[in-house]
């Protein structure tokens, strides 16, 4: 598993934004990167945010590594830099424990509300898709069917299913990601990018 992650194939997959490769890299490196961020920040919520930011940048931006073996050091360096930046931006005094407790509770509540709003936005956007497009998308993303299975189930060609999925993904990206007046957090954006890849 580890050796497989340090291959040129994985590097090409990341550069091509292959969702399966990205998920594999994320799942493998997350525990040790999270522990690294926690070591610097002493705060699990901030550490989680740092990891999400690093992987969001990895997904959204073009990056170049000379060889696949540099991937681990690239991720560690990015997490450390992001943690240090976070400490500089969000330096808090520990003189007022009650104020800190309030902030933590408020942060949890804001996260909960944001996730609820995101679910509603996803539901609304999916329901606005054309009927056939919507059925195909739900079978793919909600029920896990492959394109050929959807084609067989709906008596369509695989090409039609692929075309309808392309339309669905394009419309959902526009509806959910391209609205500066309704910004979403880095963590939510990352989940959407992977889900809609």
């Amino acid at each position: 598993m580890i050796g497989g992650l340090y291959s040129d194939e994985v590097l090409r997959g990341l550069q091509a934004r292959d969702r399966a490769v990205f998920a594999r890299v994320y799942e493998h490196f997350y525990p040790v990167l999270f522990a690294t961020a926690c070591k610097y920040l002493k705060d699990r919520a901030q550490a989680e945010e740092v990891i999400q930011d690093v992987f969001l940048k990895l997904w959204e931006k073009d990056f170049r590594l000379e060889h696949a073996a540099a991937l681990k050091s690239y991720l560690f360096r990015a997490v450390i830099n992001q943690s240090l930046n976070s400490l500089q931006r969000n330096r808090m005094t520990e003189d007022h424990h009650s104020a800190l407790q309030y902030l933590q509770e408020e942060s949890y509540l804001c996260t909960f509300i944001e996730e609820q709003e995101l679910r509603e936005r996803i539901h609304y956007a999916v329901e606005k898709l054309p009927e056939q497009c919507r059925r195909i998308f739900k079978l793919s993303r909600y029920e896990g069917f492959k394109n050929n299975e959807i084609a067989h189930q709906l008596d369509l060609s695989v090409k039609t299913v692929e075309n309808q999925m392309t339309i669905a993904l394009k419309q959902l990206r526009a509806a959910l990601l391209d609205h500066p007046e309704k910004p979403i957090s880095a963590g939510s954006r990352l989940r959407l990018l992977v889900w809609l890849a």
Side-chain angles (χ1 to χ4, degrees):
M1 177 74 155
I2 295 176
L5 284 171
Y6 301 138
S7 69
D8 290 335
E9 182 182 355
V10 167
L11 197 57
R12 285 193 298 271
L14 288 174
Q15 290 167 345
R17 294 178 176 83
D18 183 301
R19 189 171 55 155
V21 171
F22 183 87
R24 185 177 168 209
V25 170
Y26 180 88
E27 289 168 8
H28 177 77
F29 284 109
Y30 179 89
V32 68
L33 292 175
F34 180 72
T36 300
C38 281
K39 178 181 174 183
Y40 281 85
L41 297 167
K42 315 296 185 196
D43 183 286
R44 295 178 66 86
Q46 286 187 16
E48 171 73 24
E49 188 174 335
V50 162
I51 303 304
Q52 298 290 351
D53 284 342
V54 167
F55 276 95
L56 179 61
K57 288 173 184 173
L58 181 68
W59 178 268
E60 287 189 321
K61 296 183 179 179
D62 291 330
F63 73 101
R64 292 289 178 267
L65 296 177
E66 292 183 9
H67 47 80
L71 177 60
K72 181 177 180 180
S73 60
Y74 170 88
L75 290 172
F76 270 95
R77 189 167 59 250
V79 166
I80 291 169
N81 289 341
Q82 188 76 9
S83 296
L84 293 174
N85 289 342
S86 181
L87 281 173
Q88 288 177 345
R89 286 193 310 267
N90 305 310
R91 213 170 276 285
M92 295 181 185
T93 64
E94 298 182 25
D95 298 336
H96 305 288
H97 178 74
S98 60
L100 180 59
Q101 182 68 27
Y102 170 76
L103 286 173
Q104 289 174 334
E105 291 171 359
E106 185 180 35
S107 173
Y108 173 80
L109 180 60
C110 288
T111 300
F112 176 78
I113 292 171
E114 181 184 305
E115 288 181 356
Q116 290 295 104
E117 289 175 350
L118 183 61
R119 285 192 196 97
E120 289 175 11
R121 284 170 67 175
I122 290 172
H123 175 76
Y124 181 73
V126 169
E127 292 305 314
K128 284 187 70 175
L129 292 171
E131 182 180 355
Q132 187 179 55
C133 213
R134 183 172 66 247
R135 289 178 65 197
I136 289 171
F137 181 83
K138 285 183 174 180
L139 286 171
S140 173
R141 288 299 191 266
Y142 293 161
E143 300 187 37
F145 286 103
K146 296 178 181 176
N147 286 349
N148 60 332
E149 295 171 331
I150 297 171
H152 178 74
Q153 186 170 334
L154 299 181
D155 196 24
L156 299 169
S157 70
V158 173
K159 188 67 177 173
T160 297
V161 171
E162 290 173 352
N163 289 340
Q164 290 295 307
M165 278 297 293
T166 299
I167 292 168
L169 292 171
K170 183 177 179 181
Q171 289 188 18
L172 289 172
R173 285 190 200 105
L176 296 169
L177 297 173
D178 300 336
H179 280 289
E181 71 278 7
K182 293 182 179 180
I184 57 177
S185 71
S188 295
R189 186 173 179 83
L190 178 63
R191 289 196 296 273
L192 280 173
L193 281 167
V194 174
W195 191 57
L196 296 173

